[in-house]
Each structure stands twice: as C-alpha cells, then as structure tokens.
Amino acid sequence: MRIAVVGSGYVGLVAGACFAELGHDVLLVDNDERKLAELQRGECPIHEKFLPELLERHHGKRLGFTGDLAEAVRRSEVIFVAVGTPPKDDGDADLSYVESVAQGIACAIDDYKVVVEKSTVPVYTNSWVRKIMLLNGAPAELFDVVSNPEFLREGTAVADFLYPDRIVVGADTDRCAEVVARAYQPLTDGSYYKQPDAIPGPVTGAFEANLIRTSAKSAELIKHASNAFLAMKISFINAVASVCEAVGADVEQVREGIGSDSRIGRRFLSPGIGYGGSCFPKDLLAFRSVARENGCHFGLLDETVRVNEEQRNRFMRKVHKALWTLKGKKLAVLGLAFKNGTDDLRESPAVAIIKSLLKEGCSITAYDPAAMDRAAEEFGPNSAVKFATSSYEALEGADACLVLTEWEDFAALDLGRIKQLLRYPIVVDGRNLFCPALMEAAGLNYYSVGRPDVVRERPATITSLKEAAKNEAA
Ligand code: UGA
C-alpha cells in the first residue's frame, strides 16, 4: 500500500518505519526542516531500540521523507496523522496541529483517501477532523476519518508496534475499516512473524495480532482510558507504598502478593517517584477535561494526579531525612530520563527533583546512560548540574547517591565501590533498584520507597538513652 505518515515524532517515526517493514511504500511528512535533513542523512533522532536498523533497512527504498504534505496525500491511499497534541494551560489537548494537517489534506485531496488519527486525541476529534475537511472543500465521498490509537511505549516502541496486544480500529464505515485493516494485515495474518529477518519480539512461535473494530468515539476513549488506568495503577501502588512506610511493611512483598492475583497482574505496579513522560501526565489532564466538559465527575483521575505529585515531595522528604540540611551538599544523581530505555526528559520526575534540589542549594553531578545530551540542553551550561561519564565518576566524593531512573545498569553497580567512592555512605533510591539486605551488608545507609530504611548506626532515641543510663546505673 502507499501510505503517508504526517509527523515524525516518536509515534510517527516508529509507525512509518514499521509500515515500511511490513512491506508498504511509506512517505513520512514533517515541516521541521532540521529533523527532515537529519532523517534524509540517515540519522535516527531518537534513542529507540531497533529503530536505527529499520531506518537503515528501508530508507531510500520503501521509506522516504518529505516536507510536502500535498504530494504525500496525492500519492497515498491512507494518511496517518501523528502530529503533537501538547497540553494547554487548562489541561485540554492543543489540537491546532491536527487541524492544520486536516486543512492541508483537504486541499490536496483528489481521490478517495482514508485519514487516520494516530495522535492521542480527545473524543470528538474524529468528527472535528471531518468537519474541518468538509469546510476546506474536501468532497464528503472522497474521504473517511478513522481513529487508530497507538499504544507503544518509548524504549520498546518498535516491538510494541510489531507485536501489539491489540490494534484498535475505530471506523464508522466498513470501507475505511477495510483499508486500515489491510495496512496491518502482515501482523493480523501472522505472515510478518514467519519472515526470517523479522524484528524479534516478546512472543515465540505462531502469533497473530488481534484487531479490535470499534466506533471512532470508542477508539478515542480506549486510548485515554488505557493510559489513565495504567497511571492509576502506578499511583495506587505508590499510595500503598506510603502506607507500608507508615506501618513498617515492605511494598515489594505486598506487590508480589497482590500482583500474583491474575485479575490484578504484576505489571505497572512498581512503586517509585511517580510517572512522567510525554503521555501519562498529559493524557490524564486531557481525559479529566473531557470528563468535566461532558458533566462527568471522575474523581479517580484527580486522585491519581495528586498521588503522583505527592510522590516527588515524599522523595524530597527522604533526602532531607537522610542528609538533614541540603544547602551546599554535593549529590550524585543516577538517572535523568523519565524511565529506562529512553533519552526522553519530558515530564521526567528526575528533572523535577533535581530542580527542587538546586533550589535548596545543592550541587549535582549526574549520570544517565542515554539522556545526558538532552539534559545538558535542559539545564544549560551555567547551572549547578555537572555531568559525569559514568555512574562511578558521579559518585566520587558525593555526600549521597540518589537513584532517579530505573536503568538496569544501576542495579548492577558494585556496592562496595559505591561505599568507597561516596563521602557519606548514603543511597536514596527512588526506584527500589537495590535489595535492602545487600545494602546493609555493604555498609550503606539505604532509603527506598515503601520499605523500611536501612540505617547502620541508628541515632540514639530517648528510650535507648534511658535504657543505656539504667544499665550503667545498675
Ligand atoms: C505510555 C503507555 O505505557 C503506552 O502504552 C502508551 O502508548 C504511551 O504512554 C502513549 O500514550 O504514547 P510511555 O510514556 O512510553 O508509555 O511510558 P511507560 O512505560 O508507560 O512509563 C510511564 C512512566 O511510568 C515512567 O515514568 C515510568 O518510570 C513510570 N512507571 C511505569 C512507574 O513508576 N511504575 C511502573 O510500574 C511502570
């Protein structure tokens, strides 16, 4: 099939490269000239597993890049719209990019086209795109608009696209549903997985992706509701972690106990410093806004957001508890990206925490396996954040080590060496990467989320002092 993908951000670039991988002839459209030039030179602008391989495999053959939307529309049977929908101040999604692409498509349309919204958009966007196209002169019989939300995660986006849990096609006519289904056919009939050079994925043996056909409005809601549910799971376990801290239980044991109920499941139950990224924070606000505008009270969403924000404050309180005063302290920060496997800093809880630490007068030496270049841009050359070339270098002479992103590399660090390099043996772990018993054995004071603190030399309490005095008198 001839496919156009408009927008070469995470979703558009991955979708475009993957459609080329499925055998289609793909033209990716972007109006950012710098990005286009990068892609045309064969560079991969984001850190995403298997994406460089796919770009190299298909660039100049089944995958091209252009700034000309009209040309891309005219040559394509189906146009996937994957432009940004950033949040406005009131939490609503800003749909102006979607609108201007719809105008552009309408002006170029010369034959039947299927326009597919792939960006995460609120319910009713589908009907608005249709209205805008009609207002801009596109004849009603020459197009249909389909909602086909994307569920890929950064870091595993290519595998998520090629081995999806489900493909949702929200289409109000059979004609357009059939066109979109055809684009995914190598996944739904399983033929892609039989190819010897198929990108490896999480399943072995025969696999056929599941395609769910819904109405356009339902598809739009499925995307928001899925992200809201996952974010709610994270806030739920974070709230449970706070109760664990209050009563002296261990959230990792509690998590294992609840997660092994197959109705609940273990995934997305890792406690930490709260969710970040370009999706959950934005989508929660947008979904809440949709619910409010339509007269629905959805307090669960408010509480999910509140717990998430509170989680960062709780982490700051732990740092205070471990170090007492913060002014003038030199801290090693491991992890900057909003999660592991990506160089993305958008809405990263690590960045928010570093900014709070800077306000308190700390100086920071940070290390992240992928996000250092972006972080250098974020903090600028004159900030009190310096960057190390390895975790161990960041730790050298620091008053404490703070773990802010769940990179596997950090979990594999040599604990003896951590102790030796730090000025004080203090680790505050926002991602529960280490086992408290091993930290204790290594002689480290260890503060994590929802688990008892490991403090080697406990400060004297009134009771212990009284007891010691009694013993002495006796
Ligand atoms: C999320 C969804 O997982 C995707 O299904 C969806 O397609 C995507 O948003 C989107 O809407 O485009 P992503 O933002 O890449 O994907 O990241 P996640 O893997 O979901 O992680 C989000 C945040 O939650 C991270 O900050 C991560 O550290 C945190 N998290 C995740 C936890 O704190 N605990 C967990 O158990 C899982």
Side-chain angles (χ1 to χ4, degrees):
M1 292 174 82
R2 289 184 149 204
I3 291 179
V5 179
V6 189
S8 61
Y10 271 93
V11 171
L13 189 55
V14 170
C18 288
F19 280 130
E21 171 74 358
L22 298 186
H24 303 303
D25 183 359
V26 180
L27 200 51
L28 247 165
V29 188
D30 206 295
N31 57 10
D32 179 338
E33 284 181 12
R34 207 183 76 176
K35 214 176 200 185
L36 268 183
E38 239 173 60
L39 289 165
Q40 271 153 350
R41 283 197 302 272
E43 291 166 22
C44 180
I46 52 176
H47 178 88
E48 198 58 62
K49 200 168 173 196
F50 299 125
L51 191 56
E53 286 91 324
L54 288 190
L55 293 181
E56 198 187 318
R57 215 181 260 186
H58 303 299
H59 180 203
K61 293 166 211 148
R62 290 206 293 260
L63 179 63
F65 305 101
T66 180
D68 188 345
L69 175 62
E71 178 210 344
V73 169
R74 280 193 287 269
R75 68 175 282 287
S76 303
E77 188 177 347
V78 48
I79 300 124
F80 287 87
V81 180
V83 294
T85 53
K88 294 189 292 185
D89 290 342
D90 58 3
D92 277 357
D94 175 356
L95 298 174
S96 54
Y97 301 112
V98 176
E99 179 173 355
S100 82
V101 171
Q103 287 163 349
I105 297 173
C107 297
I109 216 158
D110 57 349
D111 196 1
Y112 179 72
K113 310 282 173 193
V114 178
V115 180
V116 187
E117 355 151 314
K118 227 181 193 344
S119 312
T120 301
V121 288
V123 70
Y124 295 128
T125 306
N126 187 291
S127 42
W128 270 110
V129 168
R130 183 166 185 81
K131 278 184 214 157
I132 292 297
M133 289 187 58
L134 291 171
L135 284 173
N136 282 276
E141 66 287 3
L142 279 196
F143 75 95
D144 277 308
V145 188
V146 172
S147 172
N148 168 224
E150 192 47 71
F151 301 101
L152 50 83
R153 291 160 299 169
E154 289 183 21
T156 52
V158 169
D160 286 346
F161 188 99
L162 295 171
Y163 296 81
D165 286 340
R166 77 299 206 190
I167 297 162
V168 174
V169 176
D172 295 330
T173 70
D174 288 341
R175 184 182 184 190
C176 60
E178 181 278 322
V179 173
V180 179
R182 214 156 17 93
Y184 287 103
Q185 197 172 322
L187 303 182
T188 52
D189 68 13
S191 56
Y192 175 69
Y193 310 107
K194 295 184 186 130
Q195 288 176 19
D197 59 350
I199 294 291
V203 289
T204 44
F207 179 69
E208 285 177 8
N210 176 25
L211 187 144
I212 302 173
R213 163 93 189 268
T214 68
S215 71
K217 283 192 188 113
S218 299
E220 289 167 331
L221 270 189
I222 286 169
K223 171 69 191 186
H224 268 159
S226 298
N227 275 1
F229 190 86
L230 292 169
M232 187 183 71
K233 250 185 130 177
I234 298 170
S235 280
F236 180 83
I237 198 67
N238 282 333
V240 170
S242 302
V243 179
C244 288
E245 284 173 19
V247 303
D250 181 332
V251 71
E252 296 300 336
Q253 293 174 0
V254 174
R255 176 185 162 210
E256 177 59 22
I258 57 178
S260 51
D261 182 327
S262 58
R263 291 168 304 172
I264 297 173
R266 288 185 174 79
R267 294 171 75 189
F268 275 72
L269 279 184
S270 299
I273 47 176
Y275 58 77
S278 64
C279 305
F280 285 173
K282 165 177 83 97
D283 290 355
L284 262 276
L285 297 184
F287 194 28
R288 187 169 70 172
S289 208
V290 166
R292 272 188 196 151
E293 272 166 28
N294 289 280
C296 303
H297 175 72
F298 203 161
L300 263 177
L301 300 181
D302 295 320
E303 195 51 19
T304 301
V305 173
R306 191 199 64 76
V307 170
N308 198 53
E309 281 162 6
E310 176 57 14
Q311 212 55 19
R312 295 169 191 187
N313 301 334
R314 289 184 72 85
F315 184 83
M316 282 298 290
R317 290 202 288 275
K318 278 188 208 298
V319 180
H320 272 287
K321 185 172 156 193
L323 280 164
W324 189 24
T325 65
L326 294 186
K327 193 170 167 193
K329 292 268 159 67
K330 181 174 179 285
L331 302 176
V333 163
L334 302 187
L336 296 158
F338 81 94
K339 65 168 188 179
N340 61 342
T342 177
D343 59 350
D344 198 341
L345 292 179
R346 284 176 291 175
E347 297 288 327
S348 169
V351 171
I353 287 170
I354 292 174
K355 287 186 175 161
S356 303
L357 293 166
L358 292 177
K359 268 199 202 133
E360 299 252 13
C362 299
S363 64
I364 310 270
T365 306
Y367 173 72
D368 186 286
M372 307 257 277
D373 291 348
R374 292 197 174 195
E377 269 174 46
E378 169 82 28
F379 291 104
N382 302 322
S383 91
V385 183
K386 302 280 165 279
F387 298 99
T389 55
S390 71
S391 302
Y392 293 123
E393 189 187 314
L395 292 165
E396 233 175 292
D399 293 317
C401 164
L402 314 186
V403 182
L404 300 184
T405 308
E406 65 273 43
W407 286 100
E408 293 83 359
D409 313 22
F410 300 153
L413 291 173
D414 177 338
L415 302 185
R417 204 159 158 211
I418 295 183
K419 167 130 195 296
Q420 190 198 356
L421 289 169
L422 285 171
R423 178 160 175 241
Y424 301 134
I426 297 172
V427 176
V428 191
D429 180 0
R431 300 291 194 162
N432 286 3
L433 284 192
F434 300 103
C435 161
L438 294 179
M439 298 302 267
E440 186 164 22
L444 288 156
N445 289 358
Y446 181 58
Y447 302 81
S448 55
V449 184
R451 299 186 293 185
D453 299 337
V454 172
V455 185
R456 279 180 64 247
E457 284 158 9
R458 289 184 188 281
T461 61
I462 301 283
T463 337
S464 67
L465 285 176
K466 272 188 194 156
E467 252 171 29
K470 228 196 288 170
N471 290 344
E472 209 172 333

